[in-house]
Amino acid sequence: MAILVSAACVAVSVSFRLYEKDFWQHLAVGRAIWQLHRVPTVQLWTWPTYGSPDVNSSWGFETLLWPIWRLGGVWGLFFWRWITTFLVFGLAWASARSMGARGFSPLFVMVLCSLTFRQRAHIRPESLAAVLLALEIWILARWRLSAAGPPRAPGESSSLPGHGLMPGVALVAITWGWANCHLSYFLGLGLLAIHQLDAQLDARAKHPGAKPYAMRLWAVTAAAVAISFLNPFGWRALWQPFEFALFQRHEPIFRSIPELQALDLGVNLKNLLPLVLFGWPLLLVWRWRRVGLDRVETCLALGAIGFAFSAERFLGFAMVVAAPYLARDLDAWVRAHSWPSWTVPAWSRAVLSGAACVVVGIAEWSRSDLPLGIGIRMREYPVAACDFIAAHGIEGRGFNQFYLGGYLLHRFWPDRGWLPFMDIHQAGTPKDRYTYAFALQNPRAWRDLDDRYRFDYAVLRRLAYPGDQLLDILDADTSFARVFQDDAAALYVRRSGALAVIAESLAYRALPAGTQGMTAIGQAVATDPRIRSAVRRELEREVAESPYRAAALVRLGNLALLEGNGREAHERYAEAIRIDPFTPHAHERLGLLALAEGRPRDALRELALERRLSGRSPGYDLRVGQAYQMLGDRRRARSHYREEWRRDPGNQEALDSLRVVKRRIREHS
């Protein structure tokens, strides 16, 4: 029962809706490999670099993924997610048991590590690499214990199978597969090197069986390195991670990618990551003082924690490495201490373990940015924009942000007229990558890039990431006209040339797409009925042209509210929530409507939903305080007014409300 509970918790951790963008390109490349009956070694994925030499370390993963998608669709992708995650933590649990862990605490550790692993549980090649890493740890743990001498601690068996050739053959096969599915293959070689060093030190100390084991490891390591070159791209595939570390990691485009940034522990509190990163070394030291230093664990802890702090993309691998050793150490610590008599029966400990597994996951599973469910958040991708492109024959030299390249490739490959400018791997020359990074923020850099390539159209993400101002830049660029927009994307075409007729007939003229433009038009709409009417017409057009229209509905609701039409505003906000329950500001607006109509309980419910989605935004506590004041709960109202004024000392409305409610409380007393 404890195993079932922990397995269910691990499954819940990775059962959130797909939203990341890379998997579309992996599907497109996998489809291409199956259709071409070969692995392409030249660039077929972006138009500026088309035909140039290409290195794709993920081809093995992509070849596996395409038939899974073709047969199972979304359910196939989730099956991949579940099965790879179960394999990772099943192997980690088996490794911990091989090293002597028993009881229920190792199951708790599997769930704990899965809470951080979930943020890397995407449909990416690293999901397969994580399985290979866990498998290699399991094989080496068993081989080390069975071949390298006496047990290392009480309860650890030295009679495990593994003296023959099979462990070595399996490790070589894992390395070969890893080198052909993900550029993180060097982690597997590093794991071999750590065990090799440990074996050599044991051999020097003349531990029984250590010398033959060390010799076999030498042979395995040499064979593993040699077989890694057996891939469609040769040494260039093996050079990729080192090229990035030595020459590319400081390029502006890579510095802008969140997963390549240093770890931010502040955003990893709900998943209890600090408990793993700091608890593991503490238990390691405790075990060292009790039974002696485990050199392999020490090296792995230093490496895994160091990699995790250096870049968030290594968090998943760090959890794979930590899980078996943390489980073993925690089990030893639990066994070394006395516990109440009621924990002696197995069922008591099982219930305690299961309850702990569930409790530690609640906060992480409740995150609004990773909503639980089976499906794909299609509003993250330019689905309707691509439909518009195909329907109107818009083709030529397109521009896109690199993270949209995967979906464009999935939709349009192999048509060269619709290939992306840049793909998920940031394909392009160093000059292109450099100019691209600054074009997102600087109009002059955008003009330089456009002068070099003379783009025919551009597909941009509608909800821009921090620092990306390209929507405002293209809104101000008179060379382009915006002809389509929805929640996911905005499409611009050049006003001259082959697309001039489309630009002239379908251009948006009143409604901007960028944040600065929307702020400016919002002020104009409030004072000029003609502008308000033009904006309304274009918002209605946006609603009619795409199923991903929640943001436009919220803006139409705002216009209705401005005109005093509360009923229409309520309908617009409710429809936006029906289309996308995570629409920003929709619940907030419904809360304001409820306050204006004298429905404080409804207002509190809507404001609480908005806080869950968007956090404690400015004005939240003021409105909650007003709702409590309507209900006659002056003390709660005072508390929220005080919190609003503390957060925003310039908020005069909050200060005045606080003074009024304080006076009423004194009068009532």
Side-chain angles (χ1 to χ4, degrees):
M1 292 300 296
I3 292 170
L4 290 175
V5 170
S6 60
C9 291
V10 170
V12 169
S13 290
V14 296
S15 296
F16 56 89
R17 295 182 184 275
L18 295 172
Y19 69 91
E20 69 92 27
K21 300 165 179 64
D22 290 6
F23 77 92
W24 293 113
Q25 179 156 341
H26 295 308
L27 288 172
V29 177
R31 181 184 65 198
I33 292 171
W34 281 92
Q35 290 179 357
L36 297 172
H37 304 293
R38 61 183 175 85
V39 180
T41 56
V42 296
Q43 179 62 256
L44 303 178
W45 323 118
T46 61
W47 61 262
T49 57
Y50 196 89
S52 62
D54 184 38
V55 177
N56 177 18
S57 300
S58 305
W59 74 271
F61 163 78
E62 291 160 345
T63 305
L64 289 173
L65 185 64
W66 170 248
I68 293 174
W69 165 260
R70 188 175 181 183
L71 293 173
V74 173
W75 281 98
L77 297 182
F78 272 79
F79 173 79
W80 174 271
R81 220 186 201 182
W82 291 325
I83 199 68
T84 52
T85 305
F86 282 145
L87 283 171
V88 163
F89 289 103
L91 287 165
W93 182 53
S95 297
R97 289 182 64 82
S98 295
M99 293 184 287
R102 296 293 184 270
F104 299 103
S105 58
L107 295 173
F108 168 78
V109 172
M110 299 304 116
V111 174
L112 177 64
C113 290
S114 76
L115 297 177
T116 297
F117 183 85
R118 78 187 299 241
Q119 63 185 271
R120 306 301 307 168
H122 300 302
I123 310 302
R124 287 182 172 185
E126 68 183 78
S127 61
L128 181 54
V131 174
L132 296 177
L133 176 59
L135 181 59
E136 186 170 337
I137 290 172
W138 177 66
I139 292 172
L140 283 168
R142 292 174 67 89
W143 199 12
R144 178 190 182 206
L145 289 168
S146 64
R152 304 297 178 97
E156 294 182 348
S157 171
S158 62
S159 59
L160 298 170
H163 288 284
L165 293 175
M166 287 308 297
V169 172
L171 291 169
V172 172
I174 289 170
T175 305
W176 177 71
W178 200 336
N180 283 275
C181 79
H182 196 226
L183 48 74
S184 62
Y185 74 93
F186 64 90
L187 296 176
L189 294 178
L191 187 60
L192 280 173
I194 289 171
H195 281 78
Q196 179 67 65
L197 174 63
D198 178 67
Q200 288 299 121
L201 293 174
D202 277 351
R204 281 192 174 188
K206 298 183 178 180
H207 287 176
K211 188 172 182 180
Y213 171 59
M215 295 299 293
R216 287 173 181 160
L217 267 181
W218 274 117
V220 168
T221 304
V225 171
I227 204 170
S228 298
F229 287 88
L230 189 59
N231 68 78
F233 310 96
W235 67 270
R236 293 181 301 151
L238 305 184
W239 174 242
Q240 268 194 323
F242 302 101
E243 180 183 29
F244 174 79
L246 295 173
F247 304 111
Q248 295 178 343
R249 63 178 300 184
H250 297 298
E251 289 185 20
I253 190 172
F254 295 116
R255 292 205 306 265
S256 70
I257 299 175
E259 68 180 49
L260 298 180
Q261 308 306 308
L263 176 64
D264 183 355
L265 278 178
V267 299
N268 285 280
L269 299 179
K270 289 184 177 181
N271 57 32
L272 302 179
L273 176 60
L275 196 61
V276 176
L277 295 184
F278 300 114
W280 182 18
L282 289 175
L283 286 172
L284 186 156
V285 172
W286 174 86
R287 186 176 185 278
W288 177 11
R289 296 184 62 183
R290 182 168 178 262
V291 299
L293 178 67
D294 185 332
R295 292 186 295 262
V296 169
E297 180 184 14
T298 303
C299 291
L300 289 177
L302 291 173
I305 295 173
F307 272 120
F309 274 102
S310 70
E312 290 192 7
R313 71 162 31 173
F314 289 109
L315 276 178
F317 293 125
M319 295 304 101
V320 177
V321 174
Y325 291 96
L326 178 59
R328 179 192 64 176
D329 295 350
L330 179 62
D331 177 73
W333 183 85
V334 168
R335 290 176 180 276
H337 291 78
S338 299
W339 302 96
S341 59
W342 63 266
T343 63
V344 173
W347 272 104
S348 298
R349 287 179 283 120
V351 170
L352 186 63
S353 168
C357 289
V358 173
V359 169
V360 296
I362 291 174
E364 177 66 17
W365 300 332
S366 302
R367 286 174 53 177
S368 61
D369 57 330
L370 296 177
L372 298 180
I374 311 299
I376 302 176
R377 285 161 56 180
M378 296 304 294
R379 67 182 295 272
E380 295 287 333
Y381 315 106
V383 180
C386 289
D387 294 339
F388 189 94
I389 288 171
H392 292 82
I394 298 171
E395 59 182 357
R397 295 185 165 194
F399 174 86
N400 62 277
Q401 290 127 331
F402 70 81
Y403 44 81
L404 297 182
Y407 186 80
L408 294 172
L409 193 63
H410 172 75
R411 282 291 298 265
F412 295 131
W413 189 89
D415 195 313
R416 291 184 61 179
W418 285 332
L419 290 182
F421 168 73
M422 189 173 286
D423 65 359
I424 63 168
H425 302 300
Q426 299 83 44
T429 65
K431 184 177 181 180
D432 283 347
R433 292 197 298 266
Y434 184 86
T435 310
Y436 166 94
F438 286 101
L440 301 181
Q441 309 172 43
N442 188 297
R444 182 175 177 180
W446 163 253
R447 287 194 298 271
D448 289 344
L449 192 61
D450 186 37
D451 289 344
R452 189 185 313 160
Y453 288 109
R454 192 165 179 80
F455 299 112
D456 295 300
Y457 65 94
V459 183
L460 306 182
R461 189 175 194 263
R462 185 67 189 282
L463 185 60
Y465 289 122
D468 185 345
Q469 303 174 33
L470 201 50
L471 286 170
D472 285 305
I473 292 172
L474 262 75
D475 277 348
D477 189 338
T478 56
S479 302
F480 287 87
R482 185 167 17 88
V483 296
F484 175 87
Q485 64 183 36
D486 66 357
D487 291 354
L491 173 64
Y492 296 80
V493 299
R494 187 172 290 280
R495 292 183 183 273
S496 59
L499 301 177
V501 174
I502 294 175
E504 178 60 29
S505 60
L506 298 177
Y508 278 82
R509 292 177 170 83
L511 185 65
T515 303
Q516 296 175 13
M518 288 301 300
T519 301
I521 201 68
Q523 297 170 352
V525 159
T527 56
D528 192 327
R530 290 178 303 175
I531 294 177
R532 184 160 64 244
S533 178
V535 168
R536 175 182 284 276
R537 285 195 300 272
E538 294 194 345
L539 284 171
E540 294 283 8
R541 171 189 164 186
E542 182 179 338
V543 167
E545 289 184 339
S546 173
Y548 311 107
R549 56 185 185 268
L553 287 167
V554 170
R555 294 186 175 105
L556 282 170
N558 294 344
L559 291 181
L561 206 58
L562 185 65
E563 294 169 348
N565 190 339
R567 182 176 180 180
E568 180 191 348
H570 189 280
E571 290 173 354
R572 298 288 193 179
Y573 297 142
E575 186 181 357
I577 293 169
R578 181 183 59 78
I579 292 171
D580 180 9
F582 303 95
T583 303
H585 308 303
H587 286 291
E588 177 190 26
R589 298 294 191 273
L590 285 174
L592 293 176
L593 264 177
L595 276 177
E597 295 170 357
R599 295 182 287 111
R601 296 190 186 280
D602 291 341
L604 287 173
R605 184 183 66 253
E606 296 294 345
L607 291 170
L609 288 170
E610 184 66 36
R611 181 184 175 183
R612 182 181 175 188
L613 293 175
S614 308
R616 208 179 193 116
S617 58
Y620 166 81
D621 284 285
L622 174 63
R623 304 309 173 195
V624 171
Q626 290 170 345
Y628 278 121
Q629 190 170 355
M630 282 185 184
L631 290 169
D633 192 338
R634 297 188 183 94
R635 296 190 182 279
R636 284 190 179 180
R638 179 182 61 182
S639 174
H640 283 282
Y641 290 147
R642 184 179 291 149
E643 179 63 20
E644 184 70 33
W645 185 60
R646 186 188 68 80
R647 290 173 174 270
D648 181 12
N651 191 325
Q652 190 62 41
E653 186 179 4
L655 181 59
D656 292 341
S657 299
L658 180 60
R659 288 170 175 167
V660 169
V661 78
K662 279 184 175 180
R663 186 171 63 251
R664 296 282 175 82
I665 290 174
R666 285 196 300 269
E667 290 172 355
H668 182 73
S669 299

